[in-house]
Amino acid sequence: MRSLFNRAIQTRLHIASGERSWLHDARLASREIFNDTIPLKQQGHTRTEIQREVDRDDFLRNNKCAVVGKALQTWDSYQSLKEWWESQDDPDGSKPTLPSTDKSGAYPLVMAHTEGYRLTVDDDTNRVRFRISPKPYKKVKGHLSGEPDAMDELRDALASDEVDVGQAELLYCDGVYYLHVTVTREFDVPEPDTADTVVGVDINERNVALTALDRQTMRTKGTLVLDYGRVKQERQRYHTITTRCQEHGKTSIHHQLGDKEERFTEWVLHCLSRTVVEFAEQFSNPVIVFEDMSGIRDEIKYGTYMNRRLHKLPFHKFERFVSYKATWREIPTDTVDAYYNSKTCSCCGERGYRQGRRFRCTNEECDVVQDHADRNASVNIAWRETAKLNGNESNYRTHKTQPQVRLVRLSGSGRVSRPTSSRSLADQGVLSHS
């Protein structure tokens, strides 16, 4: 299956010439163009009319077109969310608000390659050099830095005729400028039914459990449980703080905390999703399989506290992050039935029960005890995908003896320059079956 796919490569700017103030002014102008675009779109103006209305002499026209395009994408997302909210009988949360950025809000400078910015590889130093045009006839130059794998990927994209280097966004955080470069390439992703290894992924509010099964023998090739309970703790902490801020009318602090929570959650999800893909990469012809969570939240009705906890869990976002990273590595993904995966014995298929984090089968002939109930669920997900691909919905099943689970926590102390390596996390969980 061939398809086009986009990927954003995150890099840091090291400025050698030009004024940093030009970049600052361009970001302010981008925010003003964004805030002018939304009302005009609301009034029914076309994209051409909007671009004419927001034109300004101190801003590159190609950059203006790119910023207007990003603003219109934000408008479309708002419209979709608003229509979904209005279609709900009992919507959770307040009505979506019109997109805008306040006076202190950051907005990226969006640029097209070779027009608003240009990247080249220095043959002598192998550095990726940049040239940014924040204003007409003004150039800011220097080189980029980033994770070694990301920089190698960017160099390959600049040298390849099969990869297109597209728009980039200039962002600013804590005194540092960053450039997020979008590259597009065509992938040949195999179909799931060609897989030799099935990697089941079970995600709940604390753990991500992975198990790789050999499709032919049903033996476990590797297993890993990732603890991301810190996300739940941080979400609860931010919820408590923001509730108190709202009660005292401190809306500005509320927005700042909301941004911090979102950035922290995204960082964790990116680290976890990279780990899942790198774990799967270590096995021959893998397919990554998730539970089909569509509609499951509508069927779960608890109290206000539990509903807030469950409905805010980033299940769909995590699956999306894994899927696009897997596609970039030409690994297929799939979904299977989500019901009772954590309560079903992965060996005999009987309904069992949990004792803390352990799973115990109630079938006396089986009497399987798993050292981690979430890992048992991931085995079930992998088995159901195998049965689905082989056209066989019965004949349980996997081996009673599973490798001991190794629990890995994503951690960092204070402000760190580099997060825990996802490759090292993935390596920790690969245990050969004995």
Side-chain angles (χ1 to χ4, degrees):
M1 178 177 64
R2 299 192 67 82
S3 58
L4 288 174
F5 200 72
N6 297 328
R7 174 176 170 84
I9 300 177
Q10 302 179 12
T11 64
R12 177 174 176 171
L13 266 67
H14 297 269
I15 298 173
S17 64
E19 299 293 333
R20 288 171 63 92
S21 61
W22 298 343
L23 302 179
H24 174 73
D25 294 343
R27 290 175 55 252
L28 293 180
S30 295
R31 188 178 66 207
E32 292 173 2
I33 291 173
F34 176 92
N35 286 334
D36 290 341
T37 298
I38 299 300
L40 291 171
K41 182 61 179 178
Q42 194 176 17
Q43 296 167 16
H45 290 266
T46 66
R47 180 168 180 162
T48 302
E49 292 170 341
I50 292 172
Q51 290 177 350
R52 185 167 57 248
E53 289 290 329
V54 302
D55 201 11
R56 48 195 300 163
D57 294 334
D58 62 340
F59 199 74
L60 210 65
R61 289 194 174 183
N62 286 319
N63 294 350
K64 174 204 67 178
C65 295
V67 172
V68 169
K70 183 175 178 65
L72 294 179
Q73 288 179 359
T74 305
W75 169 264
D76 291 339
S77 298
Y78 158 74
Q79 287 290 92
S80 299
L81 182 60
K82 179 170 170 284
E83 290 173 3
W84 172 85
W85 186 89
E86 292 173 344
S87 68
Q88 303 299 304
D89 295 332
D90 185 20
D92 179 42
S94 58
K95 183 178 180 179
T97 56
L98 196 69
S100 65
T101 60
D102 57 30
K103 291 183 178 179
S104 61
Y107 196 77
L109 170 62
V110 190
M111 304 165 289
H113 191 233
T114 71
E115 295 171 342
Y117 81 108
R118 179 185 291 274
L119 301 180
T120 56
V121 179
D122 190 302
D123 294 334
D124 296 329
T125 63
N126 204 32
R127 283 178 169 176
V128 178
R129 298 198 172 277
F130 70 85
R131 182 222 64 195
I132 294 175
S133 302
K135 295 184 177 184
Y137 311 111
K138 304 288 186 181
K139 311 290 184 186
V140 177
K141 299 180 181 180
H143 72 274
L144 303 177
S145 66
E147 293 292 328
D149 290 346
M151 296 308 298
D152 288 342
E153 204 170 279
L154 186 55
R155 292 186 191 93
D156 292 342
L158 292 170
S160 174
D161 295 331
E162 299 178 357
V163 184
D164 178 47
V165 179
Q167 285 188 345
E169 295 185 2
L170 178 73
L171 302 97
Y172 178 84
C173 182
D174 296 334
V176 179
Y177 277 102
Y178 297 90
L179 192 69
H180 292 186
V181 183
T182 302
V183 295
T184 304
R185 60 171 286 197
E186 190 175 28
F187 293 91
D188 189 6
V189 181
E191 296 293 337
D193 59 9
T194 63
D196 297 326
T197 305
V198 182
V199 180
V201 182
D202 176 72
I203 178 172
N204 54 49
E205 63 176 338
R206 187 174 185 86
N207 297 315
V208 176
L210 311 172
T211 298
L213 290 185
D214 187 287
R215 184 176 169 186
Q216 297 299 322
T217 65
M218 297 303 290
R219 284 189 173 274
T220 301
K221 292 183 173 182
T223 185
L224 175 66
V225 175
L226 301 167
D227 184 334
Y228 76 113
R230 226 176 118 199
V231 170
K232 185 178 75 170
Q233 297 168 1
E234 288 296 299
R235 279 175 174 264
Q236 180 59 36
R237 186 171 72 88
Y238 281 123
H239 174 74
T240 302
I241 296 173
T242 53
T243 299
R244 292 174 180 172
C245 289
Q246 287 175 323
E247 291 172 352
H248 292 83
K250 304 294 185 180
T251 56
S252 60
I253 298 177
H254 164 69
H255 290 310
Q256 292 175 16
L257 290 173
D259 291 340
K260 287 183 178 180
E261 177 190 356
E262 183 177 356
R263 288 197 300 270
F264 173 77
T265 302
E266 295 242 335
W267 173 76
V268 172
L269 292 182
H270 275 297
C271 290
L272 291 176
S273 57
R274 281 198 299 269
T275 301
V276 171
V277 174
E278 289 169 355
F279 175 82
E281 265 191 315
Q282 300 170 85
F283 309 106
S284 62
N285 299 329
V287 57
I288 300 174
V289 189
F290 304 95
E291 294 178 306
D292 185 358
M293 307 295 288
S294 59
I296 196 169
R297 288 179 175 173
D298 297 331
E299 301 175 12
I300 299 176
K301 298 297 180 183
Y302 296 114
T304 302
Y305 172 69
M306 281 301 295
N307 278 338
R308 177 177 58 79
R309 277 175 56 184
L310 291 172
H311 288 207
K312 287 195 71 176
L313 287 173
F315 294 147
H316 179 67
K317 181 177 285 188
F318 172 75
E319 181 180 335
R320 195 174 72 237
F321 282 8
V322 173
S323 295
Y324 87 71
K325 287 179 172 66
T327 301
W328 193 264
R329 309 263 177 102
E330 298 187 346
I331 298 174
T333 60
D334 204 358
T335 58
V336 294
D337 185 6
Y339 294 100
Y340 304 114
N341 279 322
S342 62
K343 295 182 179 180
T344 302
C345 176
S346 60
C347 182
C348 70
E350 292 291 328
R351 196 70 56 82
Y353 64 94
R354 298 180 65 145
Q355 292 178 319
R357 290 190 176 181
R358 290 179 176 270
F359 171 85
R360 181 176 292 277
C361 180
T362 55
N363 182 358
E364 294 181 358
E365 297 180 1
C366 179
D367 198 29
V368 162
V369 177
Q370 295 275 7
D371 58 353
H372 204 292
D374 297 327
R375 194 271 295 276
N376 177 71
S378 69
V379 176
N380 275 315
I381 293 169
W383 177 86
R384 287 185 173 178
E385 174 70 6
T386 303
K388 173 182 170 182
L389 297 178
N390 295 343
N392 179 14
E393 296 297 337
S394 59
N395 295 335
Y396 274 79
R397 169 114 156 212
T398 58
H399 298 267
K400 288 187 179 182
T401 306
Q402 297 284 350
Q404 182 180 1
V405 162
R406 184 172 295 172
L407 183 66
V408 180
R409 288 183 174 85
L410 187 70
S411 63
S413 176
R415 298 177 66 86
V416 294
S417 59
R418 180 174 296 179
T420 308
S421 166
S422 55
R423 173 66 70 181
S424 66
L425 292 181
D427 288 344
Q428 289 184 61
V430 180
L431 305 174
S432 59
H433 182 84
S434 58

